[in-house]
Amino acid sequence: MSQPLAERMRPRSLDEYIGQKHLVGEGAVLRKMIDAGRISSFILWGPPGVGKTTLARIIANKLETPFYTLSAVTSGVKDVRDVIEKAKRGTFFSQASPILFIDEIHRFSKSQQDSLLGAVETGTVTLIGATTENPSFEVIRPLLSRCQLYVLKPLERDDLLELLHRAIASDMVMKEKQVQLEETDAMLRYSGGDARKLLNILELVVEAESDVPVVVTDAKVVDRLQQNPLAYDKDGEMHYDIISAFIKSIRGSDPDAAIYWLARMVEGGEDPAFIARRLLISAAEDIGLANPNALLLANACFDAVMKIGWPEGRIPLAETTVYLATSPKSNSAYMAVNDALEEVRQSGNQPVPLHLRNAPTKLMKQLGYGKDYKYAHDYARHFVEQQFLPDQLTDKRFWHPQANAAENRLKEHMKSLWGDKYNE
């Protein structure tokens, strides 16, 4: 059986590599290291199909160094140690350290990541990790501190078009079919910036045609994908299309739609941690202060999924999905922090009022630090009116309570303390 088109079109050199100019273009940071022949350990973070694995292989070929690869889905601690031992035996003084490429490194457990630390720190291996998830959440801090982090972006329209034209011009199967790209909008739209997904769609459409030449149109693409909804890389679809529908259904208070999109992700093999993390974000961003218990439940859901695993993890995910979808909604906290961040960017580092400053030294006390601060618990209702914002921002408001039962109570409480300040 012949290789898929995406594999046949995998670039072998940086000159063939499409996209990520901010990393591998002329004069870019990663390109400079590669050209110099020495690289440090790093992690590539980006969506599926943007060239993480390809880039790692190109670097190994360019540096002419041994290249070992592990999949975090199938490898254990023993596999990691075995590869490190092979790397030690295969290292010579005259060459760069062997490269250890770990795909989906975010799926490695803490103990698996711990087993890498010594080899990375001593330079026994140069680690290249690839992840679709935020490394700040998924990679242990000691390992992350030993690696540079490079962010890969979804491919842009021009990149995708270049890839399409290169495929039909250079691939033997595409040339035999005499493929003609009459329309490309549908392919580009469905690909979502994912090169592998784009080539899978092209191959799917071309293989369905018996006539030569094959003329690719938007109508043919849509029709073929409707017949084969998961045939063109379900992982890309899960991350970009279905997760969007899932979150928007929760935000729109439609539990039936939310459960349906959850089922699509579960059936499609989505990482349960990814779903649970999105529920946490939704609870904070979309439900917020209208029902603060939503965040507690979402956090408990995340813990439960991590403890009980799959397939039982679908049950707390479903419970939390329905709870969030049926909860009252508020984004007042989300809007408040965004407004405050915008103010900080505009007004800069405003000085902290003297009475709010800590005074751990005698000199600070002499300078007035902490003077006239009023300790709220010394007053009735544990409140006394005083200034907490910087002098230039005393009249600023960032949090604006929204119309729901929980925030109405909060608003009335604030009015009872601050008076006219919370009359809106």
Side-chain angles (χ1 to χ4, degrees):
M1 185 177 178
S2 64
Q3 290 181 315
L5 175 60
E7 190 60 34
R8 300 197 301 270
M9 290 299 300
R10 188 182 290 275
R12 291 341 187 234
S13 68
L14 285 178
D15 291 334
E16 297 177 0
Y17 190 81
I18 293 176
Q20 316 308 330
K21 299 299 184 187
H22 64 294
L23 295 179
V24 297
E26 291 298 327
V29 56
L30 199 48
R31 183 65 173 261
K32 285 181 178 179
M33 285 200 299
I34 297 167
D35 289 342
R38 305 291 288 186
I39 63 167
S40 56
S41 294
F42 60 85
I43 292 174
L44 299 171
W45 172 28
V50 296
K52 298 186 291 294
T53 303
T54 297
L55 184 55
R57 291 187 179 279
I58 289 173
I59 290 171
N61 290 338
K62 174 76 173 176
L63 301 184
E64 297 181 339
T65 184
F67 183 81
Y68 301 97
T69 181
L70 291 173
S71 170
V73 177
T74 58
S75 304
V77 172
K78 183 179 182 300
D79 300 297
V80 174
R81 289 173 178 160
D82 287 346
V83 167
I84 291 172
E85 278 304 312
K86 288 180 184 177
K88 285 180 180 177
R89 293 195 296 269
T91 300
F92 300 98
F93 292 111
S94 59
Q95 70 180 67
S97 299
I99 290 174
L100 172 57
F101 175 70
I102 300 181
D103 196 17
E104 299 189 87
I105 194 171
H106 61 276
R107 292 179 182 260
F108 254 10
S109 66
K110 182 180 183 299
S111 61
Q112 288 169 309
Q113 294 184 38
D114 281 336
S115 66
L116 293 165
L117 287 175
V120 172
E121 190 162 24
T122 59
T124 302
V125 296
T126 298
L127 174 66
I128 301 179
T131 177
T132 57
E133 302 294 333
N134 189 331
S136 300
F137 298 124
E138 303 296 341
V139 178
I140 60 173
R141 190 178 300 274
L143 186 57
L144 197 58
S145 69
R146 290 164 172 79
C147 299
Q148 296 295 318
L149 176 62
Y150 299 118
V151 180
L152 279 72
K153 303 173 182 177
L155 297 184
E156 297 177 356
R157 180 184 177 87
D158 288 346
D159 297 327
L160 296 170
L161 288 173
E162 181 183 348
L163 180 59
L164 281 176
H165 289 293
R166 181 183 295 179
I168 65 173
S170 62
D171 181 73
M172 291 303 298
V173 176
M174 295 293 123
K175 287 198 288 187
E176 287 175 5
K177 291 276 194 174
Q178 299 176 32
V179 178
Q180 298 175 11
L181 299 176
E182 185 173 294
E183 295 172 318
T184 58
D185 285 349
M187 278 197 294
L188 297 181
R189 184 173 68 251
Y190 281 117
S191 72
D194 181 329
R196 182 174 58 250
K197 188 172 177 182
L198 179 71
L199 293 175
N200 287 346
I201 295 171
L202 175 62
E203 187 172 35
L204 191 67
V205 174
V206 170
E207 286 179 346
E209 296 290 318
S210 57
D211 296 335
V212 175
V214 175
V215 179
V216 178
T217 65
D218 290 345
K220 285 182 181 179
V221 170
V222 173
D223 179 67
R224 188 63 177 151
L225 294 185
Q226 286 175 346
Q227 296 173 31
N228 300 270
L230 296 181
Y232 60 98
D233 190 356
K234 64 186 179 183
D235 292 331
E237 184 186 7
M238 292 303 129
H239 272 79
Y240 293 100
D241 301 333
I242 293 183
I243 194 63
S244 176
F246 177 60
I247 294 301
K248 287 171 181 172
S249 298
I250 291 174
R251 185 181 296 142
S253 299
D254 188 335
D256 299 302
I259 279 289
Y260 169 78
W261 295 120
L262 173 65
R264 284 284 297 274
M265 289 189 284
V266 170
E267 187 65 18
E270 181 59 87
D271 180 2
F274 174 72
I275 304 173
R277 189 177 302 111
R278 295 304 305 177
L279 287 170
L280 267 169
I281 296 169
S282 176
E285 179 179 340
D286 294 319
I287 288 84
L289 292 170
N291 181 8
N293 286 331
L295 185 58
L296 301 178
L297 182 65
N299 192 56
C301 172
F302 188 95
D303 289 341
V305 170
M306 295 300 101
K307 288 174 182 174
I308 66 179
W310 217 237
E312 289 81 1
R314 75 190 190 284
I315 303 169
L317 287 174
E319 177 184 349
T320 306
T321 295
V322 172
Y323 186 83
L324 298 190
T326 55
S327 287
K329 305 297 188 294
S330 170
N331 67 345
S332 67
Y334 172 74
M335 298 297 292
V337 72
N338 285 349
D339 289 347
L341 284 169
E342 185 60 30
E343 178 60 48
V344 168
R345 293 179 188 119
Q346 289 184 7
S347 59
N349 295 325
Q350 295 292 319
V352 177
L354 283 177
H355 67 284
L356 297 182
R357 299 186 192 187
N358 193 25
T361 69
K362 184 176 180 181
L363 175 61
M364 289 177 173
K365 289 178 181 177
Q366 291 173 346
L367 293 173
Y369 283 30
K371 184 181 179 182
D372 298 327
Y373 169 68
K374 300 172 184 176
Y375 186 58
H377 296 297
D378 289 341
Y379 296 83
R381 303 178 64 197
H382 304 274
F383 174 80
V384 58
E385 188 168 341
Q386 58 186 318
Q387 177 187 333
F388 292 100
L389 280 167
D391 292 343
Q392 293 187 24
L393 304 176
T394 53
D395 296 326
K396 281 282 182 179
R397 284 280 311 280
F398 299 107
W399 177 60
H400 299 276
Q402 295 176 358
N404 57 74
E407 286 183 277
N408 284 339
R409 289 193 296 272
L410 295 177
K411 179 180 178 180
E412 290 305 313
H413 177 59
M414 290 294 99
K415 285 171 65 176
S416 73
L417 298 177
W418 290 95
D420 292 343
K421 183 178 180 180
Y422 282 87
N423 280 329
E424 292 181 299

